[in-house]
Amino acid sequence: MKTIILFLIVSFQFGFGQSNYGTPTNNIPLPKKIKDLRVAIDVKHFPKENDPVKIKNAYYWKHATAILCKEAEITITEYGAFLFYNEKWNLRKTYALKELDKTFGTKKQLMLQGQPYVWANNWRIDNKLFGGWAMWYFIGTTKKGETVCGYETINTTSNLLN
């Protein structure tokens, strides 16, 4: 009897210890903030599929995020990240605009035409090992006053590297 109870406890903890929030497909609608905006900002993550490493008591998903506008200068007016769960994109966080200058190296949130801006240490850190999907988004305004956007997904896995 003790063996059965121990097995059930371990099975319960294992079953709920690692979460699976699903994988977005092309059929999943974009969030309302960006769905009707023209894409004019390139957003890239490296690596796009991101495996964690464990350092002391925390897990680190180390990646970089780059943004670029090819056609014209754009002033960023909002940026942040969505997480995918419950079969939809859910807002995780909208960042303060002053953070863009600090992390990406812009000046007054202005992206110059053809100039790449990179947040080299855009790392996810957690004390729990679990994978999931995020979508970074950027909304900005062109010199002509058009509101545009850019977005890109990143897959953070539970495949521990060390």
Side-chain angles (χ1 to χ4, degrees), residues 45-79:
H45 300 289
F46 177 79
K48 186 163 170 67
E49 184 170 288
N50 192 241
D51 300 315
V53 294
K54 187 172 185 182
I55 301 171
K56 296 184 182 179
N57 293 323
Y59 299 97
Y60 292 76
W61 289 262
K62 296 182 177 186
H63 61 282
T65 301
I67 54 177
L68 173 83
C69 56
K70 292 181 183 177
E71 65 185 61
E73 291 181 357
I74 295 175
T75 301
I76 300 298
T77 56
E78 181 180 334
Y79 79 110

Side-chain angles (χ1 to χ4, degrees), residues 61-113:
W61 289 262
K62 296 182 177 186
H63 61 282
T65 301
I67 54 177
L68 173 83
C69 56
K70 292 181 183 177
E71 65 185 61
E73 291 181 357
I74 295 175
T75 301
I76 300 298
T77 56
E78 181 180 334
Y79 79 110
F82 291 92
L83 296 179
F84 185 77
Y85 57 90
N86 295 335
E87 297 299 314
K88 66 179 183 175
W89 291 107
N90 300 273
L91 184 63
R92 177 187 170 266
K93 183 174 183 176
T94 300
Y95 289 86
L97 287 173
K98 65 181 179 179
E99 292 295 312
L100 186 79
D101 291 345
K102 180 179 164 187
T103 55
F104 283 89
T106 56
K107 289 189 170 88
K108 297 184 180 180
Q109 300 84 48
L110 180 66
M111 294 178 62
L112 300 175
Q113 182 180 16

